[in-house]
Amino acid sequence: MCEKIIETYSAEETFELGRQIGQQAKAGEVYTLTGDLGVGKTVLTQGVAAGLDIEEPVNSPTFTIVQIYEEGRLPFYHFDVYRIGDVEEMDEIGYEDYFYGDGICLIEWANLIEEILPPAYCQITIEKDLSKGFDYRRITIEELS
């Protein structure tokens, strides 16, 4: 397991980190994204989309579970499973086609569906520390397998 910690001090820096992740992403990769509400998950996700050359607006798919973006250099499947009632709902949307497909997946609140995550994925955790400033974020990136 490889772990890296990045500190950002603005939404722009968090977005740029996401852009770098998107630029380096390869088909078939799965990223999980955890952090409290308002910590910057959507900003990081928008950066990932920009790194994939996706130009359309990217927002949290809270009410649709998955938002699909296909006009970038790779398909981008953005999941938000916060409101999922049962992991069987993931079966209903055919999650395996996305998780094991030709694009990249980014899953917010993935801790709610841990039992169906692929054997290897990249876990990204965003945390605030108000003692270091309102816009400070500690972002931990771990390769899990």
Side-chain angles (χ1 to χ4, degrees):
M1 177 172 56
C2 162
E3 179 179 307
K4 157 166 67 167
I5 296 172
I6 295 107
E7 296 178 307
T8 65
Y9 294 87
S10 68
E12 293 79 15
E13 287 181 11
T14 300
F15 180 93
E16 184 55 34
L17 174 61
R19 180 193 305 273
Q20 292 170 15
I21 291 169
Q23 288 172 336
Q24 297 169 14
K26 296 175 183 58
E29 291 182 334
V30 173
Y31 298 83
T32 64
L33 184 55
T34 57
D36 293 336
L37 290 171
V39 80
K41 294 185 299 293
T42 299
V43 170
L44 185 94
T45 300
Q46 290 167 338
V48 170
L52 291 168
D53 300 325
I54 293 168
E55 296 179 8
E56 70 181 279
V58 173
N59 297 301
S60 186
T62 301
F63 297 103
T64 58
I65 299 179
V66 63
Q67 186 69 42
I68 301 167
Y69 303 92
E70 295 186 299
E71 83 281 359
R73 87 178 161 79
L74 290 171
F76 180 41
Y77 310 119
H78 179 202
F79 288 81
D80 184 332
V81 298
Y82 182 73
R83 290 187 179 8
I84 199 165
D86 189 302
V87 79
E88 289 174 6
E89 288 180 52
M90 294 296 288
D91 286 329
E92 292 171 15
I93 63 166
Y95 78 91
E96 289 177 324
D97 293 339
Y98 302 110
F99 285 17
Y100 302 101
D102 59 354
I104 74 157
C105 292
L106 189 143
I107 309 161
E108 295 187 41
W109 304 99
N111 56 305
L112 300 173
I113 59 164
E114 282 180 334
E115 61 267 32
I116 63 168
L117 290 174
Y121 60 93
C122 182
Q123 178 176 287
I124 302 171
T125 306
I126 305 177
E127 301 167 292
K128 287 183 183 182
D129 182 346
L130 294 177
S131 71
K132 294 187 177 188
F134 181 77
D135 291 324
Y136 171 85
R137 300 294 185 266
R138 181 178 194 258
I139 302 169
T140 305
I141 302 174
E142 302 172 89
E143 299 284 338
L144 302 177
S145 57

